Amino acid sequence: MGLWTFFAFLLPNRRHLTETLLIMKLIVILILGACLQVSARGYAQTVTLSEKNASLEKIFREVKKQTGYDFFYESKLLKEAKKVDITVSHASLEQVLTICFRDQPLSFSIVEKTILVKPKPVPEFAPPEETAAPPDTVRGHIVDEKGNPIVGATISVKGTSKGVSTDANGNYSIVTRGKAVLVISYVGYATQEITPGSRKMLNIDLKLSIISLGEVVSTGKMERKMESFTGAVLKVSGDELKAVGNENIIQSLKTLDPSFIVVDNNSQGSNPNNLPTIELRGKTSLSTQGVKDVFSGDPNLPLFVLDGFESDLATIVNLDMNRVASVTVLKDAASTAAYGSKAANGVVVVETKRPVKGKLSVSYTADFRVQVPDMNSYNLMNASEKLQFEKLAGRWHVGWPSFDEGLDSLYNQRLLAVKKGVNTKWINIPVRTGFNNGHSLYVSGGSDELQFGIGLNYKKDDGVMKGSDRQTWGGTIDLRYRYKRLNIYNKLYLSGYNFNESPYGSFSTYAQTNPYFTPLDSNGQVSRYLDQSPYFYDTIKATNPLYNADLPSKNYTNNFGITNNLALIYSVSNHLRVEGALQLQKDITTTETFVSPQNTMYDQTVFNQKGSYTNNRADNFTYRTNLGIVYGNTFNGLHQLTANLRGELEQDHNTQVGFDAVGFPVGSNGNPAFASGYSPYGRPTAASGIYRRSAVSASANYVYDNRYLFDASYDLDGSTAFGSNRQYTTFWSVGAGINLNNQFHLDKNLFSLFKIRGNIGAVGNQSLGRFPNVSVYQYNTGTNIFGQGTQLQSLANPNLQWQNTKTTSVGTDIALWKGRFSATLNAYDKKTDPLVVVVNLSSTTGLSNYPTNEGVMDTRGLEAMLRYSPIYNVASQVVWTIGITGSMVKSKYERFGPDGLASLNKEAQAANSLSRYIDGNSPDAIWAVPSLGIDPTTGFEVYKRKDGQSTFEYNVDDAVVVGNTRPKVEGVITNNVNYKGFTIGINLRYRIGGDQFNYALFNKVENIGESNINQNFDKRALYDRWFKPGDVAKYKNINIGSGTGVYDGLAFSSSLVTSRFVQKENDLIGESINLGYQFINKPWMNGIGLKVLSFNAYMNDIFHWSTIKAERGTDYPFANAVSFSIRASF
Amino acid sequence: MNKKILIVTAVLYGLVMLSSCKKYLDVKPDDKFLESQLFSSKVGIESVLNSIYLQLPNSPLYGENLSTTAVELFAQQYNYSASAYSAFSYYNFNDPSVVPVIDTIWSSSYNTIVNINKLIANLAVYPGVVSKAESDIIAGEAYALRAMLHFDLLRLYGPVYSTHPQVSAIPYYTVATPDAQPFLNAADVMVKILADLHTAEGLLAADPIITLGKQEVLQNDGNDFLRFRNLRMNFYAVKALEARVQLYAGNNAAALAAAQNVINSGAALFPWSDPVAVNAGGNSDKVFSSEIVFALQNLNMYSQFDATFVSANSVLAPSDFRLQETYEVQTGEGVNDYRYRSQWGGVLYGIMRQFLKYTDVTDQTKTFRYMQPMLRMSEMYYIAAESETDPALALGYLNTVRYNRGLSNLPDGTDINAELLKEYRKEFYGEGQLFFYYKRTNASMIPDGSGMDDYSFQYMRDSYYVVPHPQY
């Protein structure tokens, strides 16, 4: 009862929680009380009983409750037992049992902590071997494939009614007799039958069963049985990830979990050095610039946890996939509430492999990957088309005879070149086929007491832009030591990466370069300028992008990190475990850039400031430590309770220092020693921040008879991010579920699992900037005769509240026909109330970037994962599985009020942005002025005003929602065949019902004017634009002439954001197609000591079919990849 | 069993220690200051006031826009053929080159005002950290600076005061608050400016400048913060500002009284410049530093100036004709004018002369380096001359200045206002006062800086004089 009182106390009641310290004390008192009771009960040596006419079973239960001793018997024996009258006080166990068994046809014996009940010996009739066999106690340790102890596994003697279950450390002890067969079972694992024979010590490794629904979920803080958990989680194994692709965890995980979305980065494409943008179940925060500070990241990114400690996206992306044991995606409050203040966007828990005991085992994996740039989305004009376009656009006609003469001759020069066959495909110049390779080695082995593992990995990715590459490496030493009740686990991890950005710069430069220019001049040299018009009025001067690319340059980042995780686990008793862990981490990242003084960007710069060098170094030192208690017990075989209490402490110290230098000699390689000085009036940049957090979290899981499930968790989180008056915030969750298959005793052959679960809770977000609630000052940048000045940096908002996301989630897990069909369905609602918004107040207040609470963001969604195997012959390894996953997410803003975010909306309008912050609308909505198309008479665009009238005049206030970038439904269709070791997997991503603003149309079909006419454009600019009155065209007048400049004709007006550029997007993407074969224990392998040899081949993002024709990968192209992976284990 | 209880107790104790330590979360940032830290020390409070003096000479305010560029362009002081600035000279306030400038003057002014308001409020919240005497001086300077900033906002964004004092002008902030304050009409703003000046005058009654003078030497004795009073909004600067404000408000008698106060009691402190110092070649005191009642020390002055007037692609300067006309070079007066001789260089590109007022000097020890003039004695004489009803006395004030500029005395019966206009044009080049002179007098036509002949004028109207304030 003590524990329940304790958890009931922890359920949210804000009024009680204001006095932090008081609570802390109370928690301690309560826990101590609870534990004392548990211990007292477990170890009482005397019995007090008062029963009249009680059944023997009832007495046994009572005695067990008081002493902790288990009874062991066949149930049919008790049928013959007589009722008992007994009244004893503080009697010994033996005394009590003697009384109870006095007149029974039964006898008892006490072995260890078990009371063995058997029929009174009747020598005449009993078979001799039965009596001859004395009771034996078998002990042992049950572990899973990774060597982790399994808690709560059942060990029973075949043919008897009762058994025992393993304790918190996976240990058991059971009394057997004679030829007894032990049955070891655990949800999700294959049941094993073992005859102990004469063995007294029996350690057992359980293997995962084919049905992988019932597993243990690691929330990173504690492990829970999937079957009894009420949270929405998805667990995938390292092998499953590796089956999808060999690039990184993130890229594979997106295929496996429909709610885990990697947002396409159309600018950075497949740049290996670009970190992905990830959303898990939609957005919970506004991601305007203002909410971030120098050390904070994306406020919609999920939290990553690696081996029990918080990690960051870069580490996860760089992590060697071959070392990953499992990844668990925690999506809702019940699963994430233990992470409290950081859990609003979900948590991704990554566990790496642990050393396995036994003889030295070596596993080696080689990965190869070939990437080719995907240029299919580019629809650029060729040289003659471009020249024709220029002619039609009016570039070669001014209307002033003296100018036109010159223009004519220049045009003719160009025409001559085109006729001669000049047609440079610039986009093919900066790209290449990228070859990547990776190697990973892991050696492990050891005895029962000491296990070790050593891992090494190296990977080199060559991007598809020339000169862009990334190298990552890592080394790890795992040690695991077990001494009596103490487990020590230490992991030392060294890692680093280097990356170079392409010296070719942005890919868009090449896509823009005119095809009628050649990169080499008549002497075969790379010319500095492609075009230097001799006419002063033709001010366009095209530089040769190759010239700059060939100059010495540097854009280089180097990282080195060292992490040590030490974990200690001490088993106080069979039910109670104390755990502590410490992580130390140091990370150094240096970025250097150098631009040659010869670069054409310095044409207008004074001689002693040409060329630039920047150096930026970021240092990070983190320690994290935690200490906790885990309690787990089963009462009467019906009540399972696991509980966990944990305290954490964390400090993160970031510093950043940078400087820049200018003025380099021609030919310099970028050594800053050659700089002529720092940049004029420049000063070093520096930032520093210490972040600290301390938290206590508690969680409990109660299961009644494998039928009713309850979860509760509570987190009291203190952080420097909350400001000094409000250091602590509380987060909580409660959940419940029911296993319908157990409740209604559904046919086991049909229903292996039918669970309904739901939970609700509140979680927070710390990826925002830190907004202190006292005003903060900083030094002015200059000084004067009176010294320094300190200026108000931010005015405190004492009423600022932290973002709180209330998450509700319901779902069901169904497995039919022994796992042949499985389904998981989830529905959720995440309501962030209030939001933290950084607004620019009225300019007269003198305050900008003022943090305040405005509005609410409500995100709702559905997820489904369905799987069915038309062929399902597990025994002969022939399985064909088809599956589909899908997710739907809708977000909307609420309660901004009519002018809550007026300043942000004004900014958005001024910047021609597609987004607005208006109640009832989605953050993904596209706002634009509705267009009625192109007027066939004039070639101008006709807009629709708010009042429904048509007009030629563009008014940004007429903007309405014209689309939504988020697909209505998005997911993956899978098709997997496993035939005797051969596997084929096809994963196709579909996206239906989204809209995109097509920037290719906006920038490269329209919006062509004097300033950019010298660039290359989309073919549609030539073929689909209005040309003469009467043309029914999608795009406006081809003539770009301006009234005031040198070009005649119609006034050029730039195209503005209208619904004309918004298009429906339905996509089908060949995300992963893979093929594999595995050799296990073939005769030929034994000779060379090979245990497993597997081959995999993949094609990733091999096609991308879309209903819209837009340029993909503007600054860095996307790549199609083919890869291979070989793994050998010795 | 006891051992187990012990372990569990120890762990729980550890948990509590881990998690409940409030002090652990009390991290002081090392690259910024919390308000409570700052206002608990004398140095901290002084640095907050000093930050105002560091913000004012930045380029959005008196470093450029309100001294050498925007307001001077509005006053047609330069040849607008310099294309980067032409929209200013055309009063094309919606032009993309002009909008950010008028926005930044507005927002930087109000941002400085927030800092001032925070300082004034916190002097009361953290009493006793500095002595009462020093607290009064700091508060006095802050009140006067608040008045000055609002006054310049009123002059720039407000209506032409002489004709439309009841028109909505600007909000007046006396507290630091995120709540936007209402726009007040110009006359109400004027009342608040004068009230702040009055408060400042009272608080600065014991300003050391009155007893100890400017003290243009640092002693390193811990009291240097109260030296160099001419680089601070001192008692006389408050009076001088009051004279300027009263004249703008049309209260000529009050303006005269304030100006006379500065002329009489400040004469010894702010003596006329020595022609020798002004004409000292490479070390020429081109800003006439001794006469300056209040200047900002602008350490970026020479680089800012260099960027606009020396090495820029489009150097700011009037046409040579206009310059010669301004300084009356044709009549022979100009060649003797100390200002013309010291502040203007040789002919550039055959058409214009280079403005040299804010170029550096050879001798790096000169105390007048980096001085950005805000209020000077000559203006007091002009104000007195304009508001003095006795023509003889008025002419006397005017001739005093002319004498000290190397010019001859004007005869009786001279049109004082016409001569004053000439003086404002000569005296305040690069000091941002001329546009406000035109606006105050509601001049309908003003000579334009690109003019090549006597008939070249910019015709003015209200919409040119009233700069639109940002809309958000």
Side-chain angles (χ1 to χ4, degrees), chain A residues 355-356 360-364 441-445 452-456 476 478:
Chain A
V356 189
L360 201 65
S361 76
V362 178
S363 103
Y364 167 74
L441 182 72
Y442 194 72
V443 180
S444 84
F452 69 93
I454 296 169
L456 291 169
T476 170
D478 299 337

Side-chain angles (χ1 to χ4, degrees), chain B residues 1-28:
Chain B
M1 210 166 80
N2 285 334
K3 192 180 126 202
K4 287 171 184 173
I5 293 171
L6 203 69
I7 289 173
V8 173
T9 315
V11 169
L12 284 166
Y13 181 73
L15 276 175
V16 174
M17 289 312 289
L18 273 184
S19 319
S20 67
C21 200
K22 231 177 153 67
K23 230 176 180 174
Y24 181 72
L25 296 180
D26 209 8
V27 182
K28 298 264 184 290

Side-chain angles (χ1 to χ4, degrees), chain B residues 381-382 384-385 392-404 408-410 414-420 423:
Chain B
Y381 283 85
Y382 299 149
L393 287 176
L395 189 63
Y397 286 123
L398 186 57
N399 279 335
T400 307
V401 183
R402 284 179 62 91
Y403 172 77
N404 287 296
S408 58
N409 279 356
L410 292 166
T414 303
D415 179 347
I416 299 278
N417 284 331
E419 290 302 324
L420 275 174
E423 276 300 312

